[in-house]
Amino acid sequence: MEFQDEFEQILLTEEEINQKVKSLGVQLTEDYRDKNPLLVGVLRGCVTFMADLMREIEVPVELDFLSVASYGQSAFTSGVVRVLKDLSEDVDGRHVILIEDIVDSGLTLNYLINYLNGRNPASIATCVLLDKPYRREVDVKADYVGFEVPDKFLVGYGLDYAQKYRNLPYVATLKDNAIEEE
Ligand code: PRP
């Protein structure tokens, strides 16, 4: 897909992302030997990252997915999210790795960690490609982080604007004037 007029710049190239995903895979391979981890992707933004990352993990893994949506604005700031698609697997006693494309306020990740903790996993870790730590509204830190990114609207490699651009192989920033206020 060609560079679009509404993009400002390519923030992370395909090569930079591939290198980072490989190194995250090396770390996870070392940390999860003999643990048969369950990778839990948070739809939909996770799909590209998760598909690439799992192929860089050289120990057996299993996969599952969650789909969530935030409630209205007031509930969102309280951190309540609605689970649209629940897990298919039982996480009791499992080593769970939550996979996210991006952490921003941290509300989604924080909610999901608590949600999964209620199901008695052996451990929960979080692995995110992109992090905006200065945007946190709750104190949550990812265990494995690809890149700390600036406070820009990002698209590509799973991230969307109005459901577009998830299929870009790189991460681009959108021009401010391309973003419509909701
Ligand atoms: C994004 C991302 C996280 C969440 C992070 O999902 O995938 O789930 O927002 O934001 P937070 O840290 O402020 O909670 P989004 O709602 O855009 O859905 P998508 O994955 O389907 O694109």
Side-chain angles (χ1 to χ4, degrees), residues 54-154:
M54 68 184 183
R55 284 176 288 180
E56 301 297 338
I57 301 176
E58 297 179 359
V59 295
V61 301
E62 295 176 27
L63 304 184
D64 206 347
F65 296 92
L66 278 167
S67 178
V68 299
S70 55
Y71 282 106
Q73 193 58 36
S74 60
F76 181 72
T77 50
S78 71
V80 178
V81 302
R82 187 161 48 109
V83 175
L84 300 178
K85 182 221 169 289
D86 207 341
L87 295 172
S88 302
E89 297 297 316
D90 184 1
V91 302
D92 191 345
R94 300 297 306 271
H95 292 283
V96 173
I97 308 173
L98 260 177
I99 312 283
E100 273 278 29
D101 52 346
I102 187 162
V103 192
D104 189 326
S105 71
L107 293 169
T108 308
L109 199 60
N110 189 55
Y111 179 87
L112 290 177
I113 291 168
N114 290 331
Y115 180 77
L116 293 176
N117 258 327
R119 295 179 174 198
N120 203 31
S123 67
I124 298 183
T126 52
C127 179
V128 307
L129 182 68
L130 309 175
D131 194 5
K132 293 181 173 177
Y134 50 85
R135 295 259 308 167
R136 288 295 191 283
E137 292 176 27
V138 286
D139 185 19
V140 63
K141 198 168 174 293
D143 300 295
Y144 301 87
V145 177
F147 302 94
E148 191 171 311
V149 288
D151 195 11
K152 293 275 185 178
F153 200 106
L154 306 175

